Amino acid sequence: MAGRADPPEGTPEGVPGGGDDEYRSVVFDESFVRAARIQEFSAQERLGGTASAVRTRRPLGWMGAGRQALVLVLLIAMAFGVALYLGIRHPYRPATPADVDPARITLVPLAPQVPVPVAAADRMFAAEDAAHYRVGAKGIVLPQINGTDHFSQSQVLQAVTIAKEYLAASSLDRSALTGGDVRAVRELLNPGQLDQFDRSLAHPVDDGQYAAIGWLVRFDPARIALADPGVRVRGSMTVNEDGPGGLLVDTDHTMVYAVRAVGAGPDQASLFTVRRQLKLFFDRADLRNRQVEVEQAAVEAGPLACTGNPAGYFRPLLAGQSVPAGAGVDPYDHGRPVTSVCGLLRTVPSPSPIR
């Protein structure tokens, strides 16, 4: 039992005889406390009893830092590689285009037998068959739609609809006609034909493959302007199965344009006629991606001179102009491609009702 001199809580701190007097000679300053390392024994050390109380950690040094840097670089490289791989194989990115046969292009200029007549502004198309043609895309009429052995009715409808879009973009779009933006045409082509299309526009040549005016109708913007934005159109379209893997759409359309020289007045307009026969192929991937493969394009256009026609633009003979004397196709000229032929433009058209 504690006496009066020994309070129940023990001797207060700071009073002589307190229990902490024997430790007052040991002083732990702040630097000692911070430098102390506390390391807990492992299970093996606790069982063996021979390990030291504190495990000394080796400093990293430049070798350890180098290894860490190397690991970091490897991780960054791996992350970059994974990102690049996922970017290339993105599920929504179109696959690498399959091999597609190049389009075959035939151009036939039609030379007038008499000077080109003026088309009066108030009756621009009155004396031509085009008086009975429809204006613009209304003249591109879809055929009766039926399914085939391997393609449904909806797939056939989609094929002819894409064909109509391509005809409208390549024959009626004002920007494309005047030498401007051709993206509406390009975006409808199968990726396997884009290189041929781009080369045809960049370096056109009448060689059966790289004539720009085989892909679309366009006039030399430095010389020719449209006198009337309303293009007269008439033609037909048929669709057949080309084996179990594709559909073949054949189109045959005549387009009539009112043109004039740049800077000329409306009373100096004349007509320019283009007939386009196209063979357009569609496999299931084309239908899914809303694109077309142009297999063949045969183009007759006039009035044109038989020679000197660039393959990049149409340069029509305008009101009052005629074919130069002595012009024609020289079979002895081996500098001219065989595909470049010439025909005669009919002089007196007869009106016919639209069917």
Side-chain angles (χ1 to χ4, degrees), residues 139-140 167 233-236 251-255 274-276:
I140 306 175
L167 280 169
V233 182
R234 180 182 174 184
S236 62
T251 71
D252 187 356
H253 290 81
T254 297
M255 293 86 172
V274 179
R275 181 181 179 184
R276 303 180 74 198

Side-chain angles (χ1 to χ4, degrees), residues 4-354:
R4 297 178 60 89
D6 298 320
E9 297 84 1
T11 305
E13 184 180 357
V15 178
D20 293 335
D21 288 346
E22 58 181 308
Y23 300 107
R24 292 187 183 276
S25 60
V26 181
V27 178
F28 299 98
D29 58 10
E30 184 178 356
S31 61
F32 177 83
V33 172
R34 289 185 176 181
R37 292 192 179 95
I38 300 175
Q39 178 66 37
E40 185 177 323
F41 288 134
S42 66
Q44 184 176 0
E45 290 169 341
R46 288 196 298 270
L47 291 174
T50 58
S52 59
V54 177
R55 183 183 301 166
T56 304
R57 293 182 178 178
R58 296 180 180 178
L60 288 177
W62 69 270
M63 288 294 291
R67 283 195 297 270
Q68 284 190 342
L70 179 60
V71 171
L72 181 60
V73 170
L74 290 176
L75 289 175
I76 294 174
M78 289 176 61
F80 179 77
V82 170
L84 183 63
Y85 174 80
L86 292 177
I88 294 174
R89 301 294 300 172
H90 194 283
Y92 299 103
R93 186 185 299 272
T96 303
D99 292 336
V100 177
D101 292 335
R104 304 184 304 276
I105 298 172
T106 303
L107 302 177
V108 180
L110 302 177
Q113 303 177 56
V114 297
V116 179
V118 175
D122 58 342
R123 47 189 178 87
M124 185 93 56
F125 301 93
E128 297 282 352
D129 287 348
H132 305 277
Y133 285 15
R134 292 178 176 148
V135 179
K138 293 180 180 179
I140 306 175
V141 181
L142 299 183
Q144 182 177 353
I145 306 301
N146 297 305
T148 66
D149 292 341
H150 300 92
F151 290 86
S152 65
Q153 185 179 24
S154 62
Q155 288 175 315
V156 174
L157 175 61
Q158 188 173 11
V160 296
T161 301
I162 299 171
K164 179 175 180 176
E165 290 178 6
Y166 179 78
L167 280 169
S170 61
S171 304
L172 307 176
D173 182 78
R174 187 179 182 89
S175 179
L177 291 176
T178 54
D181 191 357
V182 297
R183 282 179 296 180
V185 181
R186 192 178 190 276
E187 290 174 354
L188 288 170
L189 291 174
N190 183 289
Q193 290 188 320
L194 292 181
D195 287 344
Q196 184 186 7
F197 177 79
D198 293 341
R199 178 176 167 183
S200 298
L201 269 65
H203 305 287
V205 59
D206 183 11
D207 62 352
Q209 282 194 334
Y210 296 103
I213 50 180
W215 296 94
L216 71 165
V217 177
R218 65 175 186 166
F219 300 99
D220 186 349
R223 301 186 182 188
I224 307 298
L226 292 177
D228 188 327
V231 182
R232 270 51 176 184
V233 182
R234 180 182 174 184
S236 62
M237 185 184 302
T238 60
V239 57
N240 294 285
E241 188 174 288
D242 189 23
L247 293 170
L248 188 63
V249 178
D250 291 282
T251 71
D252 187 356
H253 290 81
T254 297
M255 293 86 172
V256 184
Y257 306 84
V259 297
R260 59 178 175 81
V262 171
D267 57 342
Q268 293 298 312
S270 59
L271 299 181
F272 185 74
T273 304
V274 179
R275 181 181 179 184
R276 303 180 74 198
Q277 285 185 333
L278 304 177
K279 287 186 178 295
L280 307 176
F281 177 80
F282 301 87
D283 60 20
R284 287 177 172 79
D286 293 325
L287 297 176
R288 186 168 55 251
N289 297 324
R290 298 195 62 78
Q291 60 194 22
V292 59
E293 300 176 30
V294 180
E295 285 196 351
Q296 185 175 355
V299 180
E300 293 178 343
L304 289 169
C306 288
T307 59
N309 293 299
Y313 298 99
F314 285 118
R315 291 179 179 173
L317 295 174
L318 300 173
Q321 295 180 335
S322 59
V323 177
V329 176
D330 181 6
Y332 297 96
D333 180 12
H334 287 193
R336 174 192 58 81
V338 175
T339 54
S340 179
V341 297
C342 190
L344 291 177
L345 185 65
R346 191 180 64 181
T347 56
V348 182
S350 58
S352 59
I354 189 170

